[in-house]
């Protein structure tokens, strides 16, 4: 029998598709809420490589993960889109920050970037977590990079500018995530003074074979250079893509070509390799 057209539904009735989406989102929020409540969260670390000599690890990015009721690790892409602008999303920002700062405290040889939503800036608990660690060890701030997406920064631009002005003197660096994915103008670059920008992966994956994305990457690098901003490319998966990016001025490379995110500490494996060598 032919599927019913959505227009045939009784007035006020919810379509099966909308019901499924609502159910999924509710389940996702509940799962994340339980994970935060029971401290069932982890950070997964991915290396960000220098594009030029000495070609080592520039820093690591820490991605928040939650564990479901079976202990399975759930990546952020499965829950953050539904949670970013909710109270539990801000709680996850706090968890990610605390775990990241603890990692930096225990490993003084590394730098680490942590994602955050601009909506967490005015969240008192988030600020208390940051202050607690900086008071114990100011060097932690000098090795911390906070990543804020273009779309998030533009929701409360004045708040983000003030936040950066207050924290950059404490050594904290700021990176613009998803660079190129939204309407982020030159005026905003002057106001925000980001230290780094990460080219959105949709323009990086397969760039060696895509003339349109090649032109866009060159333009984004040129914009960043005008403001003396370090440029990272994410989702680098092939040697050909990496070679194009390096040849066109990208400073750092991140992606599966260099390693997938892992909940084990990759810098320990790096130490073992150097020792063995």
């Amino acid at each position: 029998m032919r599927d019913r057209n959505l227009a045939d539904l009784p007035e006020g009735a919810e379509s099966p598709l909308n019901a499924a989406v609502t159910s999924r989102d509710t389940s996702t929020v509940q799962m994340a809420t339980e994970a935060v409540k029971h401290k069932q969260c982890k950070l997964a670390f991915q290396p960000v490589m220098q594009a030029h000599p000495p070609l080592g690890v520039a820093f690591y990015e820490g991605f928040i993960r939650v564990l479901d009721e079976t202990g399975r690790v759930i990546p952020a892409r499965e829950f953050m889109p539904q949670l970013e602008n909710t109270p539990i999303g801000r709680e996850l920002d706090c968890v990610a920050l605390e775990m990241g700062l603890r990692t930096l405290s225990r490993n003084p040889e590394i730098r680490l970037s942590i994602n955050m939503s601009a909506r967490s800036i005015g969240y008192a608990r988030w600020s208390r977590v940051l202050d607690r660690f900086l008071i114990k060890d100011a060097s932690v701030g000098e090795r911390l990079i906070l990543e804020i997406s273009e779309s998030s920064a533009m929701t409360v631009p004045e708040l983000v500018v003030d936040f950066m002005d207050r924290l950059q003197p404490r050594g904290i660096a700021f990176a613009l995530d998803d660079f190129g994915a939204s309407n982020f103008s030159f005026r905003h670059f002057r106001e925000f003074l980001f230290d780094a920008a990460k080219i959105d992966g949709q323009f990086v994956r397969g760039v060696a074979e895509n003339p349109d994305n090649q032109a866009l990457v060159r333009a984004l690098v040129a914009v960043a250079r005008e403001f003396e901003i370090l440029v990272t490319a994410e989702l680098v998966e092939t040697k050909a893509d990496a070679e194009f990016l390096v040849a066109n001025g990208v400073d750092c490379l991140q992606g599966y070509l260099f390693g997938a995110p892992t909940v084990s500490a990759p810098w320990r494996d790096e130490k073992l390799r150097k020792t063995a060598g």
Side-chain angles (χ1 to χ4, degrees), residues 134-199:
L134 291 182
I135 289 170
K136 286 182 182 177
D137 182 0
S139 74
V140 166
E142 297 168 0
R143 293 180 288 116
L144 174 65
I145 303 166
L146 294 175
E147 293 195 18
I148 304 175
S149 70
E150 282 189 347
S151 58
S152 181
M154 292 311 301
T155 59
V156 283
E158 296 84 4
L159 194 62
V160 174
V161 170
D162 177 69
F163 177 67
M164 293 171 67
D165 285 342
R166 287 187 286 110
L167 290 188
Q168 281 174 328
R170 303 176 79 174
I172 296 172
F174 288 87
L176 179 67
D177 202 6
D178 304 332
F179 182 33
S182 62
N183 186 24
F184 199 82
S185 71
F186 280 88
R187 176 175 63 86
H188 295 128
F189 263 119
R190 287 198 302 271
E191 293 172 352
F192 282 103
L193 297 177
F194 279 98
D195 302 284
K198 182 178 290 183
I199 298 175

Side-chain angles (χ1 to χ4, degrees), residues 165-262:
D165 285 342
R166 287 187 286 110
L167 290 188
Q168 281 174 328
R170 303 176 79 174
I172 296 172
F174 288 87
L176 179 67
D177 202 6
D178 304 332
F179 182 33
S182 62
N183 186 24
F184 199 82
S185 71
F186 280 88
R187 176 175 63 86
H188 295 128
F189 263 119
R190 287 198 302 271
E191 293 172 352
F192 282 103
L193 297 177
F194 279 98
D195 302 284
K198 182 178 290 183
I199 298 175
D200 190 86
Q202 66 177 306
F203 310 122
V204 173
R205 180 182 280 147
V207 68
E209 306 297 331
N210 189 318
D212 291 338
N213 283 350
Q214 289 174 7
L216 185 54
V217 165
R218 291 190 186 101
L220 292 173
V221 171
V223 170
R225 286 285 171 266
E226 285 295 317
F227 295 92
E228 299 181 345
I229 292 173
L230 180 140
V231 183
T232 296
E234 65 179 0
L235 294 187
V236 182
E237 298 177 350
T238 69
K239 185 178 179 181
D241 288 346
E243 289 173 347
F244 171 85
L245 295 163
V246 171
N248 284 275
V250 169
D251 300 293
C252 295
L253 305 170
Q254 178 180 6
Y256 282 6
L257 180 63
F258 308 101
T262 172

Side-chain angles (χ1 to χ4, degrees), residues 59-62 111-115 144-147 198:
F59 59 94
Y60 296 90
E61 180 170 359
R111 296 194 75 189
L112 185 65
S113 71
I114 297 292
N115 291 276
L144 174 65
I145 303 166
L146 294 175
E147 293 195 18
K198 182 178 290 183

Side-chain angles (χ1 to χ4, degrees), residues 7-231:
D8 297 333
L9 292 172
E11 185 176 353
E14 186 175 27
S15 75
L17 176 59
N18 288 343
V21 171
T22 300
S23 175
R24 180 203 65 192
D25 289 351
T26 301
S27 175
T28 297
V29 171
Q30 184 62 33
M31 177 190 66
T33 301
E34 290 299 313
V36 171
K37 179 180 177 181
H38 298 292
K39 302 186 184 302
Q40 297 296 306
C41 301
K42 292 180 178 288
L43 282 184
F45 304 98
Q46 185 175 37
V48 179
M49 309 301 295
Q50 298 169 332
H52 305 282
L55 303 176
V57 176
F59 59 94
Y60 296 90
E61 180 170 359
F63 300 94
I64 190 67
R65 301 288 191 251
V66 302
L67 307 181
D68 67 11
E69 65 276 6
T70 70
R72 183 169 58 102
V73 177
I74 310 298
R77 66 176 179 273
E78 300 292 335
F79 55 85
M80 283 309 293
Q82 291 83 28
L83 300 178
E84 185 172 5
N85 296 322
T86 69
I88 194 62
R90 289 191 286 275
E91 286 295 316
L92 280 167
D93 273 0
C94 291
V95 172
L97 178 66
E98 184 166 8
M99 296 176 75
L101 291 171
R102 188 174 296 116
T103 299
L104 287 171
S105 295
R106 294 173 177 171
N107 301 276
E109 74 279 12
I110 70 168
R111 296 194 75 189
L112 185 65
S113 71
I114 297 292
N115 291 276
M116 66 171 292
S117 167
R119 295 186 182 276
S120 291
I121 290 172
Y123 192 45
R125 185 186 163 207
W126 192 95
S127 297
R128 286 196 300 270
V129 169
L130 181 62
D131 288 339
R132 187 171 78 246
F133 279 88
L134 291 182
I135 289 170
K136 286 182 182 177
D137 182 0
S139 74
V140 166
E142 297 168 0
R143 293 180 288 116
L144 174 65
I145 303 166
L146 294 175
E147 293 195 18
I148 304 175
S149 70
E150 282 189 347
S151 58
S152 181
M154 292 311 301
T155 59
V156 283
E158 296 84 4
L159 194 62
V160 174
V161 170
D162 177 69
F163 177 67
M164 293 171 67
D165 285 342
R166 287 187 286 110
L167 290 188
Q168 281 174 328
R170 303 176 79 174
I172 296 172
F174 288 87
L176 179 67
D177 202 6
D178 304 332
F179 182 33
S182 62
N183 186 24
F184 199 82
S185 71
F186 280 88
R187 176 175 63 86
H188 295 128
F189 263 119
R190 287 198 302 271
E191 293 172 352
F192 282 103
L193 297 177
F194 279 98
D195 302 284
K198 182 178 290 183
I199 298 175
D200 190 86
Q202 66 177 306
F203 310 122
V204 173
R205 180 182 280 147
V207 68
E209 306 297 331
N210 189 318
D212 291 338
N213 283 350
Q214 289 174 7
L216 185 54
V217 165
R218 291 190 186 101
L220 292 173
V221 171
V223 170
R225 286 285 171 266
E226 285 295 317
F227 295 92
E228 299 181 345
I229 292 173
L230 180 140
V231 183

Side-chain angles (χ1 to χ4, degrees), residues 267-277:
W267 51 89
R268 293 176 188 160
D269 295 336
E270 184 66 24
K271 281 183 181 178
L272 290 174
R273 282 194 294 269
K274 288 181 179 179
T275 301

